[in-house]
Amino acid sequence: MDNTDRMLLMEIEGGIPLSDHPYREIGRRTGIPESEVIRRLQILRTQGVIRRFRARIDQRKAGITANALVAWDVHQADVSSLGARVAEFPGVTHCYRRRPVPGRWDYELYTVHHSRRREDLCNEVAEIAADTGIDTYLVLFSGAEYKRSPTGSLRNRKEQE
Amino acid sequence: MKQFPDPVDLKVLDLLQEEFPLIPSPWDALGGRLGLPGSEVLSRVRDLQSRGIIRSISPILETGKIGLRYSTLVAMQVPACDIPRVVTIINEYPQVSHNYQREHDYNVWFTLSTRDEDECVRLVGEIIAKTGLPDEKVLNLVTLDRYKVDVRFRFDGDEQHG
């Protein structure tokens, strides 16, 4: 990734312009020809710097109002195989292993779920519990959203440097 | 006035959560898959974005490849009346990407990504100090492994919709 790539990503990380030819428009803003904009983005995607290129949705505004983080206490079982198994469930959007805080917080596996109704979400979680045998877990429904921005923001990193 | 979002909007939302085409006329390509003119796809996307359902169409960067290799989830027990102050402190950090209220004694949960462990320890320590919360009201849940990150919402064919 060179400086031109970085400039390009910073230009579009907040979203591509909703114009007839978005890459031409990005080219106009950055002084890079449209074909070069496309070529560079394709390479970044191939290299995996761009993990995905897609719409970011505000699911709450689209009616998906039951959103929860679920913390699972796996009792020192084989966490990575359980994690891989839990991640397979289609309703799981994130699955992480996190370092517990011994004696205060033993939950080590975390999943994120989204649904239109709390009841559906709870059923999905209960199904995972039944399937994996993890019977100690906590469903943490989210309330207010205080902040949500792309995790790997180059613009933000620039500010840090 | 048409129902919003209508069934075609839902198809557009599903399709836009797959890979956005890297070609000169992406809207035409998407239209081709939906049986619509590209201009109609674009106008629906503009409408969905103006209503806030689409936040943006943008690349998700692989954090490890841009130097953010360390991350954590921090949970705090904050008295309800003190939440606005604490949230303001947390959100000032550009390294904080998500911050939510959750229904639990630990009621404020935020994620933080940094270059390395040292930076993470320093920033979490700094945030806790600024909030004035005692350590026992805070959980620092460092990320050890990532098994899945695939945020995608299915809209079409969801009979519960509406």
Side-chain angles (χ1 to χ4, degrees):
Chain A
M1 189 162 69
D2 62 17
N3 283 334
T4 308
D5 291 333
R6 226 166 260 128
M7 174 181 76
L8 201 54
L9 289 176
M10 277 168 66
E11 180 63 38
I12 65 168
E13 72 178 11
I16 59 160
L18 298 185
S19 59
D20 289 336
H21 299 282
Y23 306 111
R24 192 185 297 167
E25 172 67 26
I26 293 159
R28 223 175 270 139
R29 292 180 191 175
T30 55
I32 305 168
E34 180 186 35
S35 58
E36 178 72 2
V37 169
I38 291 173
R39 191 186 69 87
R40 283 180 177 269
L41 292 175
Q42 277 168 343
I43 291 171
L44 289 166
R45 196 160 70 180
T46 309
Q47 290 171 338
V49 174
I50 295 178
R51 186 153 54 81
R52 286 185 65 212
F53 187 24
R54 53 84 179 117
R56 295 173 58 231
I57 306 286
D58 185 336
Q59 78 271 21
R60 295 174 184 220
K61 289 197 176 136
I64 299 173
T65 51
N67 300 283
L69 173 72
V70 179
W72 304 87
D73 182 356
V74 295
H75 321 290
Q76 277 121 39
D78 182 354
V79 186
S80 59
S81 75
L82 275 174
R85 197 158 140 203
V86 168
E88 285 298 307
F89 282 81
V92 172
T93 59
H94 299 71
C95 184
Y96 285 85
R97 179 186 186 182
R98 301 188 174 281
R99 189 189 294 153
V101 181
R104 287 177 54 206
W105 192 265
D106 295 322
Y107 302 95
E108 196 166 344
L109 196 61
Y110 294 79
T111 52
V112 177
H113 306 252
H114 308 275
S115 193
R116 295 188 184 282
R117 294 184 311 191
R118 286 186 175 219
E119 191 194 340
D120 295 342
L121 195 152
C122 290
N123 287 341
E124 181 183 294
V125 172
E127 203 181 300
I128 295 174
D131 185 85
T132 56
I134 315 173
D135 51 10
T136 309
Y137 60 88
L138 202 56
V139 180
L140 300 154
F141 280 103
S142 63
E145 178 180 281
Y146 301 128
K147 186 174 190 178
R148 185 170 138 169
S149 61
T151 305
S153 167
L154 287 171
R155 231 176 270 181
N156 288 353
R157 270 192 33 91
K158 189 105 178 158
E159 284 166 26
Q160 290 166 239
E161 274 156 9
Chain B
M1 224 176 88
K2 79 173 175 87
Q3 178 205 343
F4 185 85
D6 72 10
V8 178
D9 291 324
L10 299 182
K11 286 193 168 69
V12 169
L13 285 172
D14 280 342
L15 189 55
L16 283 174
Q17 291 180 84
E18 294 172 22
E19 286 294 326
F20 191 77
L22 278 166
I23 51 172
S25 302
W27 311 114
D28 289 344
L30 294 170
R33 291 184 56 184
L34 294 164
L36 298 173
S39 58
E40 187 180 336
V41 176
L42 177 56
S43 72
R44 284 177 182 271
V45 171
R46 282 181 177 146
D47 196 19
L48 287 161
Q49 183 157 306
S50 71
R51 291 168 192 254
I53 292 182
I54 293 177
R55 293 172 193 258
S56 65
I57 297 174
S58 44
I60 318 267
L61 304 185
E62 184 60 56
T63 47
K65 298 218 178 198
I66 58 165
L68 298 175
R69 291 187 179 81
Y70 204 83
S71 68
T72 190
L73 171 68
V74 178
M76 291 179 155
Q77 289 183 38
V78 185
C81 60
D82 203 19
I83 286 180
R85 183 187 68 90
V86 170
V87 163
T88 303
I89 291 168
I90 296 166
N91 287 359
E92 270 167 13
Y93 286 79
Q95 296 89 346
V96 171
S97 58
H98 297 69
N99 188 2
Y100 286 96
Q101 184 238 323
R102 294 197 180 277
E103 297 172 9
H104 191 266
D105 290 342
Y106 286 98
N107 51 357
V108 173
W109 294 69
F110 65 92
T111 54
L112 188 134
S113 302
T114 59
R115 265 162 281 197
D116 52 37
E117 183 172 3
D118 286 353
E119 189 187 12
C120 188
V121 169
R122 182 174 62 78
L123 292 179
V124 172
E126 198 177 295
I127 292 171
I128 296 170
K130 281 189 191 173
T131 63
L133 290 170
D135 285 345
E136 66 270 18
K137 299 281 185 193
V138 181
L139 297 169
N140 184 4
L141 306 165
V142 171
T143 310
L144 298 178
D145 257 316
R146 190 173 78 176
Y147 304 111
K148 186 183 196 178
V149 183
D150 184 22
V151 188
R152 215 177 289 207
F153 305 105
R154 307 265 173 226
F155 292 106
D156 190 31
D158 184 348
E159 69 275 14
Q160 275 133 41
H161 186 81

